[in-house]
Amino acid sequence: MALRIHFLILSIAVLALSTSADYNPGNFSYTGPNGPEKWGSLSPSFLACSNGKAQSPVDLTKTDIVMNKQLKSLDRHYLPTNATLVNNKFNIGVRFQGKVGDININGKNYSLKQLHWHSPAEHMANGRIHVAELHLVHLTQDNNNIAVVAALYKLGDPDPIISQFEDKLIELVKETRAGNEDAQIALGTFDMEEINRNSHRYYRYIGSLTTPPCKEGVTWNILGKVRTLSKKQLELLKAPLDPEFWHNARPLQQLNGRKIEMYYHPNHKHHVPNTHQ
């Protein structure tokens, strides 16, 4: 049994929140008896959800933010590659088949494996709630370390990333309503060029996955630039999901003494507004 639990945790970490044969996302919800306050009691492998001391998401509160001049620029060089649109039951995501690109954190390379959205946003910016949040999930080559690059959204112009597959989201809705809840739709070549721009501000802290098993030790990097998406795009990201997952943001977690480090470099070519604006 202990071996099976260990394998389950490893499988979830490796797939970084994607579904697998060993993981039933129906075990948890965002409301009712299986809601976030109960996650830790749903499975022995979910204990960190209730007992962990370095959990995510958190509020990026000014009083908890410290400038760290030792932080490096979060350079991103993602290449176009084949991708698949998936309904993860608890969110909508994009998985990559080939090599997309890496980020380097403290001399360690993390490769982009998948991205997904939460609505409303999970992290707050000094008490402010945003309408959605994008998570770009990266793993080291040995799959033992996770880093997430996150971006907050407000309503506005369509997001160029989501615009690439709006028609596929509509197709995913049709597949789901037809009973094919595990539908996966090929996107062909997916272009991440638009998100390659370097940010002159980001926030870093050590936290956890925001869904069970709430694995800790995740390096979070929240970009200072607030992105925009249209109301239609926001609705399309919810449409394939069951109503219990239309609101798929975990409540805020206590910092428990953790500090949020800020990288700031005003001379970058691309101007980035303050997250707290």
Side-chain angles (χ1 to χ4, degrees), residues 47-263:
L47 287 177
C49 299
S50 58
N51 297 340
K53 300 300 181 184
Q55 292 287 294
S56 298
V58 299
D59 188 359
L60 306 177
T61 306
K62 289 181 180 179
T63 54
D64 295 312
I65 294 173
V66 294
M67 178 78 74
N68 184 349
K69 294 183 179 180
Q70 303 304 312
L71 290 180
K72 305 297 183 182
S73 173
L74 194 63
D75 296 334
R76 303 179 299 282
H77 302 289
Y78 303 128
L79 300 173
T81 189
N82 285 335
T84 303
L85 180 67
V86 294
N87 182 347
N88 289 323
K89 300 293 194 300
F90 48 93
N91 61 45
I92 299 302
V94 174
R95 296 183 198 162
F96 299 103
Q97 276 77 59
K99 180 76 171 178
V100 188
D102 297 342
I103 56 173
N104 188 282
I105 298 175
N106 297 327
K108 188 176 296 184
N109 281 331
Y110 294 77
S111 296
L112 179 62
K113 298 299 182 181
Q114 59 105 326
L115 53 87
H116 61 263
W117 288 263
H118 293 266
S119 177
E122 297 196 298
H123 289 86
M124 287 190 186
N126 208 36
R128 181 179 177 182
I129 301 175
H130 288 74
V131 296
E133 183 171 338
L134 168 65
H135 291 167
L136 295 97
V137 182
H138 303 69
L139 296 174
T140 50
Q141 188 172 1
D142 59 10
N143 294 322
N144 288 332
N145 300 280
I146 303 173
V148 182
V149 176
L152 304 175
Y153 283 93
K154 62 182 178 181
L155 287 177
D157 293 332
D159 178 22
I161 293 178
I162 303 173
S163 293
Q164 294 184 65
F165 59 89
E166 279 188 29
D167 58 331
K168 301 296 186 182
L169 279 169
I170 296 172
E171 187 177 335
L172 187 63
V173 172
K174 294 178 180 178
E175 288 285 334
T176 302
R177 290 177 179 173
N180 186 9
E181 295 183 355
D182 297 320
Q184 299 186 13
I185 298 176
L187 297 178
T189 302
F190 194 79
D191 190 357
M192 295 288 291
E193 174 65 29
E194 193 274 336
I195 206 169
N196 276 339
R197 301 172 183 173
N198 294 336
S199 299
H200 80 194
R201 180 186 279 107
Y202 70 82
Y203 303 88
R204 175 174 293 166
Y205 76 99
I206 303 302
S208 72
L209 299 178
T210 62
T211 60
C214 306
K215 173 184 168 67
E216 295 189 338
V218 176
T219 302
W220 282 92
N221 307 271
I222 296 96
L223 302 180
K225 180 180 180 179
V226 177
R227 301 178 66 84
T228 62
L229 82 171
S230 68
K231 185 177 180 181
K232 175 187 175 183
Q233 289 179 329
L234 184 61
E235 292 172 349
L236 283 174
L237 289 174
K238 296 174 181 285
L241 304 173
D242 289 338
E244 65 177 310
F245 295 112
W246 287 350
H247 181 294
N248 57 7
R250 187 189 190 191
L252 290 178
Q253 304 297 301
Q254 295 295 321
L255 275 173
N256 294 322
R258 288 174 290 169
K259 285 294 183 180
I260 300 166
E261 298 179 330
M262 181 174 74
Y263 168 87

Side-chain angles (χ1 to χ4, degrees), residues 73 198-201 263-272:
S73 173
N198 294 336
S199 299
H200 80 194
R201 180 186 279 107
Y263 168 87
Y264 178 67
H265 195 295
N267 296 324
H268 270 162
K269 182 178 179 180
H270 300 281
H271 173 70
V272 178

